[in-house]
């Protein structure tokens, strides 16, 4: 069995580093995608609704709750990895039209070859920069936009500004939702600035994260759900509390932002590097 699993392991050099597909020891049809040793995605080809990483489950819960069950959505995913969330949405909302923007072309080809998409899934993948792609899109074209872009272990600065947030809001349907993954640690300076930046264009928002991350006690992922109408806080709170690793929903974002101002292009910086040894923690990956 160990030899068979080892033979299924794949390693390739892609644009963003060394990509590895590692078979899941507990699930015969599942793989973890690593980039330079950092977990990026977990995919179960036989069960796309199985989500290994906790922050991905929080994004999926938000997607589940922003529209009636099974209703098809127009979804844009900025950042692709192993295409875990597009697979999930195709399975849970058949008929959805999905577009993915991923900057690493060789990684896209590796994922397509080794982790093929379901034949019936309407998922189009475009190789390119997320901001350039969004700037060329038509107004109000998407019901959901998921922002989960990392260059190495950091979100690029040009995707952390109010100018970019305005472009995202422009291509979002008036009743639509942006769901953003923010990685940060104590004292949460980046996360507070990003919350202020996103809310400057999409004011109705909440945060979902591990309680220790929200309190600024450790590095982790914070998921922002933002739109122009009140988010489904009660349902999201129940889903977060019932997760394998319970999370908390924060709604007092004025208090959380602590006076942080929206970040313009001229002052934007990438998200902070995670502490050494973090990767392998259950919350990493997509």
């Amino acid at each position: 069995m160990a030899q068979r699993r080892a033979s299924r392991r794949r390693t390739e050099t892609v644009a963003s580093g060394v990509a590895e597909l590692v078979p899941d020891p507990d699930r015969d049809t599942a793989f973890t995608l690593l980039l330079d040793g950092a977990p990026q995605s977990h995919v179960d080809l036989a069960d796309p609704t199985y989500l290994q990483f906790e922050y991905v489950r929080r994004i999926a819960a938000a997607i589940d709750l922003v529209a009636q069950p099974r209703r098809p959505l127009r979804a844009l995913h900025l950042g692709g990895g192993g295409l875990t969330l597009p697979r999930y949405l195709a399975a849970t909302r058949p008929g959805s039209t999905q577009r993915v923007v991923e900057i690493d072309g060789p990684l896209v080809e590796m994922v397509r070859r080794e982790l093929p998409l379901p034949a019936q899934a309407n998922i189009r993948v475009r190789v390119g920069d997320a901001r350039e792609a969004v700037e060329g899109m038509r107004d109000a074209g998407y019901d959901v936009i998921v922002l989960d872009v990392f260059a190495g272990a950091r979100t690029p600065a040009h995707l952390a500004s109010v100018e970019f947030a305005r472009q995202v809001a422009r291509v979002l349907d008036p009743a639509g939702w942006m769901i953003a993954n923010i990685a940060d640690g104590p004292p949460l300076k980046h996360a507070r600035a990003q919350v202020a930046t996103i809310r400057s264009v999409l004011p109705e928002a909440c945060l979902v994260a591990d309680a220790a991350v929200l309190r600024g006690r450790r590095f982790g992922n914070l998921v922002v759900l933002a739109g122009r109408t009140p988010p489904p806080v009660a349902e999201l709170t129940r889903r977060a509390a019932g997760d394998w690793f319970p999370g908390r929903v924060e709604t007092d974002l004025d208090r959380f932002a602590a006076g942080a101002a929206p970040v313009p292009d001229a002052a934007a910086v990438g998200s902070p590097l995670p502490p050494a040894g973090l990767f392998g923690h259950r919350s990493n990956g997509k």
Side-chain angles (χ1 to χ4, degrees), residues 52-250:
Q52 176 74 25
F53 298 111
E54 65 191 44
Y55 98 82
V56 177
R57 293 195 299 274
R58 289 168 184 159
I59 294 176
I63 293 173
D64 289 348
L65 295 170
V66 297
Q68 290 298 313
R70 308 287 289 182
R71 185 192 123 193
L73 295 175
R74 300 168 298 162
L76 172 63
H77 303 265
L78 302 176
L83 306 176
T84 304
L85 282 164
R87 298 170 199 268
Y88 175 85
L89 204 153
T92 58
R93 295 182 179 274
S96 294
T97 56
Q98 300 189 75
R99 187 173 184 180
V100 181
V101 181
E102 167 61 54
I103 200 168
D104 191 328
L107 177 63
V108 169
E109 291 308 311
M110 180 184 184
V111 168
R112 281 174 165 159
R113 182 181 69 251
E114 303 293 341
L115 304 174
L117 291 166
Q120 72 278 13
N122 185 6
I123 301 170
R124 295 169 51 211
V125 183
R126 169 180 171 178
V127 175
D129 176 78
R131 181 158 173 172
E132 290 179 3
V134 169
E135 287 172 347
M137 292 176 182
R138 64 184 175 87
D139 293 358
Y142 294 98
D143 302 306
V144 171
I145 298 176
V146 178
L147 176 59
D148 189 18
V149 180
F150 286 83
R154 305 181 71 187
T155 300
H158 71 298
L159 305 182
S161 72
V162 70
E163 289 89 346
F164 174 66
R166 288 186 190 124
Q167 288 295 318
V168 171
R170 178 185 62 79
V171 302
L172 194 64
D173 186 90
W177 295 93
M178 173 187 182
I179 308 171
N181 173 40
I182 300 171
D184 200 7
L188 296 179
K189 180 180 178 181
H190 178 74
R192 297 184 203 282
Q194 286 306 291
V195 165
T197 298
I198 291 169
R199 291 182 71 215
S200 70
V201 295
L202 297 169
E204 298 286 348
C206 64
L207 272 174
V208 190
D210 182 277
V213 175
L214 280 171
R215 293 183 184 124
R217 293 180 179 172
R218 68 170 179 84
F219 194 98
N221 300 93
L222 303 96
V223 172
V224 181
L225 174 62
R228 300 176 177 95
T229 57
V233 170
E235 297 90 342
L236 201 57
T237 299
R238 283 193 287 271
R239 287 283 292 267
D243 190 69
W244 309 338
F245 300 102
R248 200 184 97 199
V249 176
E250 176 61 66

